[in-house]
Amino acid sequence: MRLILLGAPGSGKGTQATMLQEKLSIPHISTGDIFRSNIKSGTELGKLAKSYIDKGQLVPDSVTIDIVKDRLLQDDCKNGFILDGFPRTIPQAEYLEDALKNMGIALDVALNIHVEDSEIIKRMSGRRVCPGCGMTYHLIYNPPKENGVCDGCKSGVIQREDDKEETVLSRLKVYHQQTEPLIEFYKAKGKLVTVEGQDKVEDTSKEVLKALGKA
Ligand code: AP5
Ligand code: MG
């Protein structure tokens, strides 16, 4: 299955993608995760990306598109992929259409996870991530079994730098201006499926699987 996940920052794209990756045995590709791993290892790409991410702005399309282009050509994408956080602008979506057409394939579904802004702000302040394996937690809604320690790889969990409240507000603004128009873009192509993402993680996962016909 070739799938993209749409939704505001904090809507649960990463959380659901982790579940789907296991269930569907296809890779989870998060442009945000790719940028964060480059920031961590201090590459030129990481330095450039950080200057935008820290302000809650989007990394320029030209940079982001090149990364996705390389990633989709890798072998593990042959049977499908879950794109999380890409596309995020109309030019990125148009690029993706062209690139897939050139590869002789097409997108199956654009899955949009809908969550109100007020809920997003609550989620971001409590989010914790594992710097070791990338697992996502929430202090209240989805805590690790042992306080502060990743269930899987046992690293100490940390708060993401762009989860400070003022940065979250600019990310939400950028989402509404630049990314939300993609909902209409995919609706017009007959590819859009929207699920309500306000419920508990497990309930949202059930909705997602039902919407994809995999329940
Ligand atoms: P990215 O990492 O993609 O950030 P984002 O889209 O802002 O999304 P998040 O990762 O913050 O949220 P999520 O939807 O994955 O939610 P999560 O599952 O963690 O991008 C970071 C930055 O990189 C961008 O701001 C931009 O600068 C740049 N970038 C990335 N891609 C780009 C592109 N294509 N073009 C240009 N720039 C790009 O869940 C959030 C929290 O809620 C967690 O704590 C989780 O445990 C909890 N939670 C999840 N689901 C539920 C639930 N159902 N109930 C209760 N709590 C829940
Ligand atoms: Mg994410």
Side-chain angles (χ1 to χ4, degrees):
M1 176 173 279
R2 298 176 187 99
L3 174 68
I4 64 169
L5 296 181
L6 296 175
S11 56
K13 301 182 296 295
T15 302
Q16 297 304 327
T18 308
M19 176 278 292
L20 286 171
Q21 151 168 270
E22 230 172 85
K23 197 99 183 164
L24 307 178
S25 304
I26 48 175
H28 166 206
I29 303 169
S30 156
T31 38
D33 287 350
I34 295 173
F35 290 137
R36 280 184 290 279
S37 87
N38 275 276
I39 292 172
K40 201 170 150 196
S41 49
T43 65
E44 284 308 310
L45 169 65
K47 283 178 204 152
L48 178 81
K50 187 172 174 11
S51 66
Y52 293 94
I53 292 176
D54 284 355
K55 285 185 262 178
Q57 292 169 358
L58 296 183
V59 178
D61 285 344
S62 54
V63 178
T64 310
I65 284 173
D66 276 346
I67 291 171
V68 173
K69 199 191 289 180
D70 289 344
R71 185 63 189 86
L72 290 179
L73 287 172
Q74 287 176 25
D75 257 9
D76 61 342
C77 292
K78 282 215 171 84
N79 296 323
F81 49 78
I82 306 159
L83 271 176
D84 158 12
F86 184 95
R88 244 179 165 97
T89 62
I90 296 282
Q92 289 182 14
E94 284 169 343
Y95 156 75
L96 184 64
E97 290 285 307
D98 279 354
L100 295 180
K101 204 185 276 169
N102 289 336
M103 292 161 78
I105 54 181
L107 202 67
D108 294 306
V109 184
L111 181 80
N112 175 39
I113 306 177
H114 173 260
V115 177
E116 295 295 335
D117 286 8
S118 53
E119 173 67 19
I120 293 213
I121 293 166
K122 278 192 243 165
R123 285 191 189 177
M124 303 304 234
S125 60
R127 171 163 56 190
R128 296 294 180 271
V129 291
C130 173
C133 68
M135 214 30 216
T136 301
Y137 299 93
H138 190 283
L139 291 180
I140 299 158
Y141 305 135
N142 184 24
K145 292 193 183 88
E146 189 186 334
N147 191 16
V149 179
C150 177
D151 295 348
C153 74
K154 307 292 175 201
S155 306
V157 299
I158 56 168
Q159 182 162 34
R160 249 168 66 173
E161 295 233 6
D162 60 344
D163 280 349
K164 284 183 294 193
E165 185 161 345
E166 75 226 53
T167 317
V168 170
L169 293 177
S170 32
R171 285 163 65 197
L172 271 173
K173 199 166 147 205
V174 166
Y175 167 76
H176 290 301
Q177 284 170 348
Q178 301 195 50
T179 309
E180 210 169 23
L182 293 180
I183 294 177
E184 283 305 318
F185 179 94
Y186 286 109
K187 197 189 265 175
K189 295 194 180 296
K191 297 272 162 87
L192 186 78
V193 174
T194 295
V195 294
E196 195 47 63
Q198 302 258 128
D199 297 334
K200 284 190 290 190
V201 173
E202 306 75 48
D203 295 337
T204 304
S205 295
K206 281 187 199 142
E207 288 302 310
V208 165
L209 290 170
K210 205 156 80 185
L212 298 178
K214 300 283 175 189

